[in-house]
């Protein structure tokens, strides 16, 4: 294990300025594995120099920006000025009030994984791991190389940050493994069993949970390998799932994501402009242990879609199951995607236009005592199973201030009569406490592990 830098020294020690990194990388000094710094990019411009100088000039914009980032070649170099694409230049910040990856726009590629602490590893080792993970995540989200041991895998050479986010959480078992049972939130109680569940315990729960998202597959995989490497000797992977969404720019204008059934997914999400958005999604001061302030709870469900059965339905039948138009997401009673449905509307035969068991009707907050959650899923496809049918569906993720008031009441109602249940199967499940973002010089979960 490498020596750790004291928190107060981390912002200056081990992280040179962008200008000094650019100068260092332009020297051509040998790197581990026989690759010279000067050979990483044509003309002697390394990925770190590229991104370091771009960040220094302020032209790589944050996640809310979206401008093109430009990199300046080191002084005296004959290399032409290079520009990252809009997709590559987007950067999400690590040190924020709420961890990145919750309200961040959906990314094109995602990895979800859970770790279990190794036998004999406890609170101290967990704290060191979260410190390493936080340092690694901060560097990678800035588009920098991993430098914990002086060597980077090179998987993401030449790429920008590509909206990379890394999010960390704690499972129910983490608190007993670390002797912190008294700090376990009441909201982290195990989820109840549902009649439609076909859960594989080996692909759920876990001591530690990690979500990785990026708009480039290699950038996401680079982060995955770096975090797995950081965990060696402390924790082992319990399960891993890989997902995807539509790539940014694939549509003429930003749209609600579509799932593998072809349906818009997330139309009913609370929006950040809502007055009660923070109250619904994030834990407020005094609403649980102090270390959870500004955090959230995420429910993960691996939901297999029985696509052969679903695709055997006609369009009108599919729309009645959901209660919305497949093309626009508008309710069957008319309007646009954001139009409020007329739940009492009937057709010429006196039947409800939106059936009583339609998915969109059952999941509405006003049909569930105001229960709301922020859906932020990824689709997945793991090939064809032994029966010759697609192993594909949704890595369902929903964020809320309290799962007992968010996910649980809605899922109980869906369990009792959702028309969509005939075409899906819940195969894995997990619930995790995701603390607030780390302040500069701190690591995620520090308030729990050092409080």
């Amino acid at each position: 294990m490498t020596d750790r830098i004291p928190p107060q020294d981390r912002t200056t020690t081990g992280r040179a300025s962008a200008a000094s990194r650019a100068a260092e990388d332009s020297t051509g000094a040998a790197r581990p594995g026989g690759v010279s710094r000067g050979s990483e990019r044509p003309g002697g411009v390394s990925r770190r120099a590229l991104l370091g100088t771009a960040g220094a000039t302020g032209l790589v914009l944050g996640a809310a920006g979206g401008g093109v980032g430009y990199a300046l070649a080191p002084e005296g170099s004959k290399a032409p000025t290079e520009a990252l694409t809009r997709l590559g230049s987007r950067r999400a910040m690590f040190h924020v009030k709420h961890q990145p990856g919750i309200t961040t726009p959906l990314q094109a590629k995602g990895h979800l994984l859970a770790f279990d602490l190794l036998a004999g590893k406890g609170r101290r080792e967990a704290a060191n791991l979260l410190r390493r993970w936080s340092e690694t995540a901060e560097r990678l989200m800035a588009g920098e190389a991993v430098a914990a041991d002086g060597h980077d895998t090179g998987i993401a050479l030449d790429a920008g940050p590509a909206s990379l986010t890394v999010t960390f959480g704690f499972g129910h078992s983490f608190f007993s493994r670390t002797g912190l049972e008294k700090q376990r939130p009441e909201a982290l109680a195990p989820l109840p069993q549902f009649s439609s569940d076909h859960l594989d315990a080996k692909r759920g729960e876990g001591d530690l949970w990690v979500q990785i998202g990026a708009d480039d597959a290699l950038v996401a995989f680079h982060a995955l390998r770096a975090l797995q490497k950081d965990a060696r000797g402390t924790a082992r992977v319990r399960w891993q799932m890989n997902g995807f969404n539509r790539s940014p720019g694939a549509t003429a204008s930003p749209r609600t994501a579509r799932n593998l059934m072809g349906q818009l997914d997330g139309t009913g999400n609370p929006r950040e402009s809502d007055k009660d958005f923070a109250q619904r999604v994030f834990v407020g001061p005094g609403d649980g242990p102090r270390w959870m302030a500004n955090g959230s709870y995420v429910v993960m469900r691996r939901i297999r879609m029985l696509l052969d059965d679903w695709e055997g339905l006609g369009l009108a039948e599919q729309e009645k199951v959901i209660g919305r138009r497949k093309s626009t997401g508008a309710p069957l009673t008319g309007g646009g995607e954001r139009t409020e449905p007329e739940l009492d509307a009937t057709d010429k035969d006196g039947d409800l236009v939106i059936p009583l068991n339609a998915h969109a009707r059952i999941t509405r907050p006003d049909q569930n005592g105001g229960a709301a959650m922020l859906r932020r899923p990824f689709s997945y496809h793991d090939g064809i199973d032994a029966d010759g049918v697609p192993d594909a569906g949704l890595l369902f993720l929903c964020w809320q201030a309290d799962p007992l008031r968010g996910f649980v009441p809605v899922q109980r109602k869906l369990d009792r009569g959702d028309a969509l249940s005939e075409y899906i199967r819940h195969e894995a499940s997990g619930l995790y406490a995701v603390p607030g973002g780390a302040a500069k010089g701190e690591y995620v979960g520090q308030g729990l592990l050092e409080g």
Side-chain angles (χ1 to χ4, degrees), residues 21 31 343:
R21 285 198 306 270
R31 303 188 75 178
L343 298 180

Side-chain angles (χ1 to χ4, degrees), residues 250-451:
T251 56
S253 60
R255 300 182 64 88
T256 304
R258 287 191 186 273
N259 59 37
L260 299 188
M261 287 179 161
Q263 302 292 330
L264 295 183
D265 199 320
T267 297
N269 269 346
R271 287 174 278 183
E272 290 187 77
S273 58
D274 297 341
K275 291 188 300 183
D276 59 352
F277 178 84
Q279 179 182 345
R280 289 180 168 189
V281 177
F282 297 111
V283 178
D287 290 339
R290 185 160 52 182
W291 65 268
M292 269 299 291
N294 300 318
S296 187
Y297 294 92
V298 62
V299 174
M300 182 285 300
R301 305 280 280 186
R302 180 187 174 95
I303 303 176
R304 185 167 182 174
M305 294 176 172
L306 309 181
L307 294 177
D308 287 347
D309 294 338
W310 175 254
E311 292 164 2
L313 296 178
L315 177 60
E317 293 175 286
Q318 291 181 350
E319 291 182 338
K320 281 190 173 295
V321 168
I322 302 299
R324 291 182 175 275
R325 299 295 178 199
K326 193 171 186 177
S327 58
T328 64
L332 295 183
T333 49
E337 182 185 357
R338 301 293 180 184
T339 301
E340 288 294 318
E342 299 176 34
L343 298 180
D344 296 329
T346 57
D347 60 20
K348 59 182 177 59
D349 297 320
D351 297 323
L352 288 170
V353 176
I354 300 176
L356 286 174
N357 63 351
H359 185 75
R361 178 190 287 269
I362 294 176
T363 57
R364 284 180 55 82
D366 59 9
Q367 302 293 303
N368 295 281
M373 49 198 167
L374 179 65
R375 296 168 57 101
R376 195 179 182 279
F378 291 94
S379 293
Y380 77 89
H381 180 217
D382 289 340
I384 305 298
D385 69 10
D387 296 326
V389 297
D391 183 3
L394 195 70
L395 301 180
F396 173 90
L397 298 169
C398 70
W399 299 87
Q400 60 258 281
D402 184 349
L404 299 178
R405 292 182 295 169
F407 172 79
V408 172
V410 176
Q411 185 59 36
R412 277 180 172 153
K413 195 167 183 180
L414 290 170
D415 207 38
R416 291 196 295 266
D418 177 23
L420 187 59
S421 295
E422 185 178 345
Y423 304 98
I424 61 175
R425 187 165 63 216
H426 293 247
E427 296 185 337
S429 179
L431 170 63
Y432 308 94
V434 176
K440 192 70 177 177
E442 297 181 354
Y443 61 88
V444 173
Q446 186 167 330
L448 168 64
L449 291 162
E450 296 187 15

Side-chain angles (χ1 to χ4, degrees), residues 4-5 10 15 94 130-140 443:
R4 309 312 305 167
I5 300 171
R10 266 182 227 127
R15 266 203 295 272
F94 180 76
L130 266 298
R131 184 182 295 111
R132 291 196 299 274
W133 272 353
S134 295
E135 291 172 352
T136 295
E138 181 181 6
R139 293 185 66 86
L140 293 178
Y443 61 88

